Amino acid sequence: MDRNALVPVMAVAIVNGIFSPWVLLVFLFYPVWYPGWAPPLSQIVYMASALILSTMTIMLAGVPAALYERWSAYPRSIVVSSIWLAGTVLLTLPALPNVMRALSGG
């Protein structure tokens, strides 16, 4: 698959990582995953939480695309990319109210 096809997937996943309501849950569980040698500054922990959530979004959205690629006789790159993007957008839907709130300035 072309690397340029993954740019929209990564962009949507980053938006999900920053604005998702699940980022608070990942943030609260930082003693489980955050390394003990790193300084526990809230800004760093929040950004690491957003990065974890973004990565999980990409991984989960890639499952249907991988299944299509595996089960299809002749998988097409554009279809795989579209499935991956659709999965990422679907996982990002809970973050849309927070995105709209941030865009409105309130």
Side-chain angles (χ1 to χ4, degrees), residues 20-33 46 49 53:
S20 176
W22 294 101
V23 75
L24 178 63
L25 187 66
V26 177
F27 181 84
L28 291 176
F29 281 107
Y30 86 91
V32 175
W33 58 264
Y46 177 79
S49 300
L53 199 58

Side-chain angles (χ1 to χ4, degrees), residues 34-40:
Y34 196 71
W37 52 264

Side-chain angles (χ1 to χ4, degrees), residues 27 34 39-49:
F27 181 84
Y34 196 71
L41 300 172
S42 62
Q43 295 90 348
I44 296 173
V45 175
Y46 177 79
M47 289 311 293
S49 300

Side-chain angles (χ1 to χ4, degrees), residues 46-105:
Y46 177 79
M47 289 311 293
S49 300
L51 183 62
I52 287 171
L53 199 58
S54 298
T55 304
M56 289 302 297
T57 301
I58 291 172
M59 290 169 54
L60 288 174
V63 170
L67 290 175
Y68 165 78
E69 208 168 26
R70 174 78 172 146
W71 291 337
S72 177
Y74 300 105
R76 298 184 52 203
S77 180
I78 188 70
V79 175
V80 173
S81 301
S82 300
I83 292 171
W84 207 337
L85 181 60
T88 307
V89 168
L90 187 66
L91 290 171
T92 305
L93 288 178
L96 285 182
N98 294 337
V99 171
M100 298 308 287
R101 197 172 308 121
L103 289 176
S104 70

